[in-house]
Amino acid sequence: MKHLDAALHTRGESAYVDDGTPPDGLLHAAVFGSPVAHGVVRRLDVTAARQREGVVAVLTAADIPGDNQVGPILADEPLLATETVHFRSQPLAVVYAESPEMGRAALAAIDCDIDELPAITDPRQAFAAGEIIDRPRQLTLGDVDAAWEICDVIVEGKCDLGGQEHVYLETQRARAWPLEGDNLRLQSSTQSPYATQRTVARVLGLPLHRIEVDVQRLGGGFGGKEDQASPWAAFAALGARLTGRPVELVLRRDEDLAMTGKRHPYQADFKLGLSEAGEILAYEARFFQNAGCSADLSMPVLDRTLFHSNNCYRIPHLRVWGVCCRTHLPSNTAFRGFGGPQGMFVIEAALHKGAAALGMPREELQRRNLMVNGDLFPYGQRVLESRAERTWDEGAALFDLAAMGRRVEAHNAEHLGSKKGYAVMPICFGISFTATHMNQAGALVHVYTDGSVSVSTGGVEMGQGISTNVAAIVARSLGIAPRRVKVESTNTTRIANMSASAASSTTLLNGNAALLACHSIRRRLDALLAEKLSLTADQVVSVLDEQVLVDGEATDWTWNRLVQEAYFARVALSAHEHFATPNIWFDAVSGKGRPFAYHVFGSALTEVTVDVLRGTYTIDRVKILHDLGRPLNRSIDLGQVEGGLAQGLGWMTLEDLRYGDDGRLESHALATYKVPDVYFMPEDLEVRFLENAGNPLGPFHNKAVGEPPLMYGIGVFFALRHAIEAYVGEVSLPYATPLTPERVLMQLHGRRLADIVAGTDGQEADASSQDEEPSLTTA
């Protein structure tokens, strides 16, 4: 079954928020942001802007009829700043004009005086200054302090993990219409229609049932529209409410880059204890998360960092601690992996350093410590069906890991100008929202008298194929052709209180809800058939290819006949059902529980080649064996694995998110913020799915595929390190990402290059003396 939107995308017919015919009287919103990262607002004068041509209204916080607050968890994020500003481009006022150009031109007429204050952009500095959000978190296993005494080798180190821009193709946008009777309709590019509904209602001071949010599809989200779409919808809704006219807000790419949050950068310290044989005995890590200026989703992101701090390794004694640090940057937010990749990178860095200390290949140390059934995760949940060893062993055999090692070794022995490296990246990723209450979904299924079917769920289509999956689930459950099924837009009037399309749980939750609704309808139809066909209790009725079967034998009843008979018998042909993930819970006080429904496993082999003169590199091949359960749609699932890998590779290599000390975004355009393109991806990319591996909780035994593949990209960092070390030898190099070609060059040639730039001869400086990464700057 093809992706339902494939033909529409190919022909350019897929409709997004601003593609519909503009309604009469449509206004366009433009947002005025703070020119400084931190300061006290002394004066905000919008008088001149209100007098500009085409301007209908200019609103500030004083005009908000409800609560000037959009924080999804903590009330620490105003829609429009008032007394102080906490990041550069923080919204202070919004202009509503007859055209986007008129609105943006009026922004220049806004007069704002701000007494600038020092800005903090580093999470450790924020922590030292007491600027933290909520409370620190900690998870423990065993007795870490006592375990250090029995360790033969102990290594320590630091990691500095960069952020990542979402780069969704469709920037943040929304359109709002005022309706009769204080009602309002919104189209929003949001992953969470309910969160948008809730935020808009709060800002306008209206009950939820007055706000309708409808989402046809998104042009990408990756977490950046889970909660951060809501303020932009609120700006459109506020204008519609107060002017009585429809309003559209569409951010330009540069505005979106400057005004929205990213993947959380982290700094971390680690300490790892090993036996001589390579058994992990103890591990400790401290995570300093750069949350940005407000809480947003930083606390649950940090929780998932700690949950995934051991990746897929058995660690009997563990203590991981983390804190959300408030800085003067846009509030960082959800991003594919939701904190898990940051936690997994740090344990991989620790194992890299530990393997060097033991004189053992990194992959040997990894393999010796993979989790097996019965092992404990840091949060107290036991592994019930570990596939860590299986995906490693089958992947190593299938893709010939030994041959890869020999090929790399032979190349490095024969070539001076280039060096190869390789790495294995195993993954284990928990599937569920970390907030237990969000693991629920509803679905509404209608069967029409011609046999066609309409289905509504809370799942938002954003390219990941949820609509195609739901259509397949419904068609398979009812025994009909997929062409019979229409998946409706996601709408808060049809499905209430929906959770975000996130956490790799969209198909698990919404697919199971749709399955339950289909089962309800089928039970009614089966009862009708039992009556009409005079069936006994032990006879089995089924529908296959729109043909009614009894005990596997065809009857003269078709799907169309069955539906018609049910209608005339006054049998309900609609069902609304609810699914809640069973057997999950977590106690935040004790740090123990069973937060995940199941885990996804996999392994990736990555091989790279580095040009040691220039610092440039190619990713030669990536081979992946992924635990997918039983795939619902192999082509869609393959696209998710390859796309997740690309995003992970970009995070580790090219995507250099940079802010100045004054909080100014320096990587402010796609000319300065590089993302992987088709030429960057490995020419030899092969993805296989683990065979004979079901998952009883997933619809038709499938497993999640949205987030886990991103973590395969972490392997490229250690493959590049392997190649660098083949040239410079065993040296102390920083665990800092992204590992751009510039950074690779500096690690290859170290102090000597820095000294050349500085004008010294560099005779006594060499990469072998390098403890921290030098900075390559020119006067």
Side-chain angles (χ1 to χ4, degrees), residues 469-538:
N469 283 347
V470 167
I473 290 166
V474 169
R476 186 170 172 182
S477 176
L478 296 178
I480 62 177
R483 61 177 173 78
R484 295 266 203 173
V485 181
K486 177 190 177 188
V487 180
E488 305 290 349
S489 64
T490 310
N491 188 290
T492 54
T493 66
R494 290 191 291 269
I495 303 296
N497 313 320
M498 65 188 78
S499 294
S501 291
S504 299
S505 297
T506 310
T507 297
L508 170 67
L509 296 175
N510 295 281
N512 271 322
L515 198 58
L516 290 174
C518 291
H519 288 170
S520 291
I521 295 171
R522 277 297 308 273
R523 282 194 297 270
R524 300 173 203 153
L525 296 177
D526 289 351
L528 176 68
L529 283 168
E531 176 187 342
K532 296 290 185 180
L533 299 178
S534 302
L535 301 179
T536 61
D538 60 344

Side-chain angles (χ1 to χ4, degrees), residues 137-389:
R137 270 99 162 125
Q138 182 168 289
L139 299 178
T140 60
L141 283 178
D143 188 341
V144 175
D145 293 325
W148 299 124
E149 300 298 323
I150 62 172
C151 296
D152 298 314
V153 172
I154 296 176
V155 295
E156 298 183 63
K158 297 180 182 295
C159 296
D160 190 347
L161 285 155
Q164 188 176 22
E165 167 61 41
H166 298 86
V167 199
Y168 27 66
L169 291 179
E170 179 195 30
T171 57
Q172 298 280 7
R173 59 195 62 196
R175 185 181 278 184
W177 293 262
L179 305 176
E180 63 183 15
D182 283 340
N183 296 308
L184 194 78
R185 178 181 296 135
L186 282 141
Q187 286 183 342
S188 172
S189 184
T190 175
Q191 292 176 235
S192 185
Y194 171 53
T196 296
Q197 178 192 35
R198 192 172 62 235
T199 299
V200 169
R202 182 179 188 178
V203 168
L204 298 185
L206 294 174
L208 288 170
H209 73 281
R210 295 291 184 192
I211 310 298
E212 175 190 351
V213 179
D214 187 84
V215 182
Q216 181 67 45
R217 63 175 62 82
L218 310 187
F222 309 117
K225 298 174 181 176
E226 183 172 345
D227 268 286
Q228 293 214 353
S230 297
W232 311 107
F235 286 131
L238 180 65
R241 175 76 170 167
L242 296 185
T243 66
R245 293 172 60 175
V247 172
E248 178 178 285
L249 185 151
V250 176
L251 293 188
R252 294 186 317 218
R253 179 64 64 185
D254 60 321
E255 295 168 335
D256 195 294
L257 289 168
M259 303 177 89
T260 65
K262 324 297 181 191
R263 182 188 296 281
H264 291 78
Y266 275 68
Q267 294 181 24
D269 304 322
F270 65 79
K271 183 178 180 181
L272 179 70
L274 302 157
S275 71
E276 287 184 352
E279 179 186 359
I280 300 175
L281 300 177
Y283 176 62
E284 182 172 15
R286 291 171 61 84
F287 295 91
F288 298 88
Q289 179 203 71
N290 191 331
C293 67
S294 61
D296 195 89
L297 299 173
S298 293
M299 292 89 76
V301 168
L302 180 62
D303 287 338
R304 191 171 280 263
T305 296
L306 301 186
F307 288 167
H308 289 81
S309 58
N310 70 314
N311 190 7
C312 52
Y313 302 112
R314 178 177 56 258
I315 305 178
H317 304 284
L318 173 147
R319 179 168 59 228
V320 288
W321 173 95
V323 62
C324 303
C325 304
R326 193 188 301 273
T327 60
H328 296 112
L329 299 176
S331 187
N332 289 312
T333 192
F335 199 125
R336 196 176 197 168
F338 204 79
Q342 293 94 320
M344 293 162 73
F345 178 91
V346 177
I347 183 62
E348 295 296 333
L351 290 175
H352 177 270
K353 194 161 191 175
L358 287 171
M360 177 185 294
R362 175 174 170 269
E363 62 271 19
E364 183 178 338
L365 182 60
Q366 291 172 294
R367 176 61 183 84
R368 288 189 183 190
N369 291 281
L370 294 176
M371 300 184 84
V372 297
N373 289 343
D375 286 339
L376 282 172
F377 288 103
Y379 40 89
Q381 184 171 345
R382 290 195 181 275
V383 183
L384 297 181
E385 194 171 354
S386 177
R387 293 171 183 164
E389 291 187 331

